[in-house]
Amino acid sequence: MHPYVYASIAVIAAQLIAGKAVTSLYDFSLPGTLEIDNLPNAPRLKEFRELFRDYLPGYATGGSYQYRIDESGETLEMTFNGTSFICRIMGSSSYFIGNVRGNAIYIFDHAASSAVNFRISGCCIDEHNNEPTVSSSEWLVR
């Protein structure tokens, strides 16, 4: 699996579970920092971050949502339960389970039988109250 897919999953999970608008992730497998704006699908993730700016953390619990990763048409289907999530790439057998704990994001890739661990190393701050927030839109299909 390409590392930007893992990063995309982490960004979406952090935003919808913890309300953190991620701008960079520390990848323990590299090790190194991934700047979200430098990823191949950065424009889509930046739009996602902006559109979900006022979203209430945790509201996704119990819902199943879809997100198109990039222009190739690859789509993630994510289901949330508290701080945990299950994610699969539609049309393939790839699926992932994970959770968000504070600034740590854990993802297990079943196809590769491997774990990917990220730490949020940067996020956008809302100018009004110095809290990271997100907002709802048509990007997620319930």
Side-chain angles (χ1 to χ4, degrees):
M1 188 62 51
H2 196 283
Y4 85 91
V5 173
Y6 297 130
S8 298
I9 293 169
V11 166
I12 294 165
Q15 194 137 16
L16 296 178
I17 291 173
K20 296 185 179 186
V22 177
T23 58
S24 61
L25 294 166
Y26 183 82
D27 185 343
F28 288 95
S29 65
L30 292 177
T33 300
L34 293 172
E35 296 296 329
I36 303 308
D37 289 343
N38 294 337
L39 296 176
N41 63 336
R44 292 194 62 77
L45 288 172
K46 191 172 184 175
E47 288 175 39
F48 177 86
R49 183 173 61 220
E50 186 59 32
L51 288 170
F52 286 83
R53 186 177 80 237
D54 298 325
Y55 185 81
L56 296 173
Y59 181 74
T61 293
S64 184
Y65 303 90
Q66 294 179 358
Y67 172 76
R68 198 170 87 208
I69 299 173
D70 57 24
E71 302 313 314
S72 73
E74 237 179 12
T75 302
L76 296 175
E77 181 178 51
M78 299 181 78
T79 304
F80 298 91
N81 184 10
T83 60
S84 300
F85 60 91
I86 297 174
C87 177
R88 71 179 182 97
I89 297 177
M90 295 180 67
S92 78
S93 60
S94 297
Y95 75 98
F96 317 89
I97 60 171
N99 61 53
V100 178
R101 291 184 185 152
N103 285 334
I105 303 165
Y106 306 96
I107 301 171
F108 183 76
D109 181 342
H110 276 268
S113 292
S114 64
V116 180
N117 298 312
F118 293 107
R119 183 183 72 235
I120 299 170
S121 56
C123 55
C124 292
I125 302 297
D126 185 352
E127 296 173 5
H128 301 294
N129 60 9
N130 291 331
E131 292 291 327
T133 57
V134 288
S135 129
S136 62
S137 80
E138 70 280 356
W139 278 66
L140 292 180
V141 181
R142 199 162 213 183

